[in-house]
Amino acid sequence: MFKLSLVRFVVISTGLLILAGCAAPTRYIDPAADDGAVAMGMDYRDFEKAATEAVDSMLESGAVTNPNGGRYIMVVSRISNDTMQRIDTDQLTKKIRVALLRSGKVVTTTAVGLNGAEDEMSMRARELRNSEEFDQSGVQRKGTLQAPDLSLSGKILQRNLTVGKEQQVEYYVQLSLTDLASGLAFWEGETPIIKRGSNKSVSW
Amino acid sequence: MNMKRLIVAFGCALLLTGCASQQPANNAAFIDRPQLQIDPEVNYFAAVSEMLEERVSQPDGSSLLKIQYAVEARSDADLAWKITWFDNNGMQVKGVGEGYRKASLLTGQTRYFTAVAPHARVTDYQLHLREPKQ
C-alpha cells in the first residue's frame, strides 16, 4: 500500500516537473525589439502605430503649430471605444499627448474635461483661497487657468468578418482635432489596422 | 638635388596637413553613422530605390525634417522599418514609439514610406530596414 502511494507520488511529481519545464518562462519584452506573435485583439503595437501615424500627420499638416508662436493648449475630449474589447483609450491619447508635448508645439490641459477635470487638484488648490491656514502668497490667483484652443476627439471601431476559413478583424482608429474658436476640425486622420487569423481566435 | 627634393616633400606634407579636416569642437565629429542601414536579408527581396528628405515649413516659421524612401520588391515579403532621429549634436530625439513599423511588399511593387521628425531641432536620421521574424 505504502509502495503504491510512493510510486504515485513519484509519477505525479515527475509529471509536474516536466510540465513546469515545458511552460514558457516569463520574460520581459522590449518594445523596441519585439517580433512576437500578433494577437487578434488590439495590442500595444497597434496603439503605437495609430499614434505614430496621427502625430506624423498632425505635425506635417502644421495644424498643431501656433502661427503666433508659443504652444497651443489641447484638451482631450471623448474617444469612444466601439470595439468588443475593454480598451482604455488613454493608451492611445497618452502617446499622442506625450509626442505633441515633446514636439514643443502643444501642451494638454488637465484642468477641464468632459467628465470633469482630469486632475481635480487645479480647482481644489484654489479652494485654499482666503484660508487663514495657508500662506496666501503661494495660493493660485484668480484668472490663471488657461482655456484650451484645440480638442482631440475620436473613435475606435471594430468590424469582424469571415474570410474563407479565416476570421478578419478590422479596427479603425479615427481622430479629429477641432479648433475650439471656430468649431472646425483642423486635422483628421484614420488608421486602419486589419488582422486575419484563425476562426478560433477571439478578438475580445 | 636631394636637399631640393626634401624641401619640396616637406612643403607638400605641410600643405596636406593643412588641408586635412580639422577636428571640430563638438561631439558630432566622432559620429560615423550611416543614414541608411539595410540588413543583408532585405537585399534578397527588396532594394531602396529612392531616399529623399526635405524640411516642411511650419506656420510659426520653423520647419520639420521629413523623409521619404521607396522600396522596390523583388518578391513577396514582409519588411520592418524604423527611423531614429538625431539633433545637430548627434543626440537622439525621441518620437512616439520605439517599435518597428511593418509593411508587406508584393513582387514588383514599389512602396513609398514617409516619416516626419518629432521636433524642429532634428537634423539627421537613421533608417533601419530589416526582415521581421514573425
Side-chain angles (χ1 to χ4, degrees):
Chain A
M1 187 67 183
F2 173 74
K3 221 174 190 177
L4 195 67
S5 293
L6 188 69
V7 170
R8 267 188 195 163
F9 175 75
V10 170
V11 168
I12 290 169
S13 303
T14 313
L16 283 173
L17 278 174
I18 289 170
L19 281 173
C22 292
T26 304
R27 60 216 187 270
Y28 286 108
I29 300 297
D30 183 352
D34 182 11
D35 260 347
V38 179
M40 287 299 264
M42 283 190 84
D43 68 11
Y44 80 93
R45 289 171 289 191
D46 300 320
F47 288 112
E48 191 172 298
K49 174 187 162 72
T52 302
E53 288 190 11
V55 170
D56 266 23
S57 174
M58 278 182 206
L59 290 175
E60 188 185 358
S61 72
V64 291
T65 306
N66 190 339
N68 304 318
R71 296 181 294 184
Y72 272 136
I73 299 167
M74 186 178 82
V75 65
V76 177
S77 179
R78 183 168 289 118
I79 310 279
S80 313
N81 172 22
D82 198 5
T83 71
M84 296 169 201
Q85 296 169 62
R86 193 172 172 276
I87 292 172
D88 186 340
T89 53
D90 278 357
Q91 259 190 290
L92 175 71
T93 56
K94 186 59 96 177
K95 286 182 192 299
I96 294 172
R97 285 169 58 163
V98 169
L100 290 177
L101 182 66
R102 278 196 199 134
S103 76
K105 295 175 182 295
V106 177
V107 62
T108 304
T109 174
T110 57
V112 269
L114 283 182
N115 302 314
E118 187 180 320
D119 186 351
E120 293 174 7
M121 198 50 73
S122 297
M123 289 310 289
R124 286 283 177 88
R126 282 160 172 77
E127 289 171 12
L128 307 178
R129 208 174 284 146
N130 300 326
S131 167
E132 290 177 0
E133 300 298 327
F134 288 87
D135 174 4
Q136 291 297 304
S137 65
V139 175
Q140 302 304 323
R141 286 174 289 114
K142 282 185 180 178
T144 55
L145 288 177
Q146 300 290 305
D149 307 300
L150 302 169
S151 168
L152 181 70
S153 61
K155 188 187 263 190
I156 306 174
L157 305 170
Q158 179 179 350
R159 286 193 69 212
N160 281 30
L161 307 160
T162 304
V163 183
K165 289 179 181 173
E166 287 188 311
Q167 178 188 193
Q168 181 165 304
V169 185
E170 300 175 358
Y171 300 99
Y172 298 92
V173 180
Q174 302 176 333
L175 293 169
S176 298
L177 193 66
T178 304
D179 170 42
L180 291 172
S182 62
L184 303 175
F186 273 17
W187 174 90
E188 294 193 90
E190 181 183 66
T191 304
I193 294 163
I194 317 293
K195 299 182 178 191
R196 206 172 288 160
S198 165
N199 250 332
K200 291 172 187 165
S201 319
V202 286
S203 54
W204 37 267
Chain B
M1 186 64 182
N2 273 347
M3 190 62 183
K4 214 173 189 179
R5 271 189 191 164
L6 194 70
I7 290 168
V8 169
F10 187 68
C12 286
L14 274 177
L15 273 175
L16 284 172
T17 313
C19 291
S21 59
Q22 295 295 305
Q23 206 80 276
N26 63 16
N27 293 336
F30 303 108
I31 299 168
D32 183 19
R33 181 191 298 130
Q35 285 185 324
L36 184 57
Q37 192 183 1
I38 306 176
D39 284 4
E41 299 82 31
V42 175
N43 290 321
Y44 289 114
F45 62 81
V48 174
S49 54
E50 283 176 27
M51 190 80 210
L52 304 171
E53 60 178 79
E54 69 168 353
R55 291 205 75 92
V56 182
S57 298
Q58 296 287 295
D60 62 353
S62 64
S63 65
L64 293 169
L65 180 64
K66 178 185 179 181
I67 71 153
Q68 175 184 296
Y69 71 96
V71 176
E72 276 181 27
R74 298 190 187 101
S75 59
D76 292 4
D78 288 328
L79 178 76
W81 62 281
K82 181 166 94 165
I83 294 175
T84 312
W85 304 101
F86 302 97
D87 66 14
N88 202 32
N89 294 320
M91 301 298 284
Q92 186 189 341
V93 179
K94 277 194 168 185
V96 177
E98 296 177 299
Y100 283 80
R101 303 195 211 182
K102 306 274 170 64
S104 295
L105 305 170
L106 299 173
T107 307
Q109 187 185 30
T110 302
R111 287 199 64 182
Y112 298 86
F113 301 99
T114 60
V116 178
H119 198 280
R121 74 172 188 274
V122 169
T123 55
D124 198 11
Y125 63 88
Q126 185 177 54
L127 169 64
H128 181 207
L129 301 182
R130 58 183 288 272
E131 185 182 22
K133 287 182 185 134
Q134 294 253 4

